[in-house]
Amino acid sequence: MNKKKFFQIIQKTYQKIEKKIEKKFLNYDIEIIQHENILTIEFSNLKKIIFTTQQYLNQLWMATYKQGYHFEYNKNLWRCMRTKKKLFKILNFICLYYTQKKK
């Protein structure tokens, strides 16, 4: 995939991530910041999810408090190279975990 196409897909993905989080987690204090090709999602408990692009590998990397994920784009989906799960399934699980009230 050429550089232009890769970054078009990244921008669409970042926009979709932002819309899904804003819609599903509307009642939570979550800040989403995009700077160049990095997308940071910060939760009120100071946990973060950070997305970075790896253009030379055609990958999107996601770093969380405990783990990192490498995603490859294939057939219009980002899939984790290790687990084969879809990006949005993993992201939803992590966001739910980070927004849980701890006793």
Side-chain angles (χ1 to χ4, degrees), residues 5-95:
K5 177 75 171 165
F6 177 77
F7 284 109
Q8 287 173 344
I9 292 168
I10 290 294
Q11 285 307 310
K12 285 181 184 178
T13 301
Y14 283 178
Q15 290 169 356
K16 190 173 178 181
I17 288 169
E18 189 168 350
K19 285 179 185 176
K20 282 186 177 276
I21 288 176
E22 287 174 349
K23 184 177 180 182
K24 185 160 187 170
F25 298 96
L26 180 66
N27 296 325
Y28 294 92
D29 185 19
I30 300 173
E31 187 173 353
I32 302 171
I33 303 163
Q34 183 179 349
H35 180 69
E36 296 183 7
N37 297 311
I38 299 171
L39 182 72
T40 303
I41 304 164
E42 187 170 341
F43 298 82
S44 60
N45 59 7
L46 303 181
K47 299 275 194 262
K48 293 181 182 181
I49 300 172
I50 301 171
F51 287 93
T52 59
T53 59
Q54 304 299 318
Q55 189 261 323
Y56 295 106
L57 299 171
N58 286 333
Q59 293 178 358
L60 177 62
W61 289 6
M62 180 174 74
T64 68
Y65 174 67
K66 293 188 176 192
Q67 193 165 332
Y69 300 86
H70 297 181
F71 296 93
E72 284 190 322
Y73 193 76
N74 190 8
K75 297 180 183 175
N76 297 321
L77 291 172
W78 289 103
R79 287 197 183 266
C80 177
M81 295 175 64
R82 183 173 27 88
T83 66
K84 305 302 181 213
K85 292 181 181 176
K86 296 175 188 175
L87 178 145
F88 288 99
K89 182 174 184 166
I90 294 171
L91 179 62
N92 186 60
F93 176 80
I94 294 167
C95 288

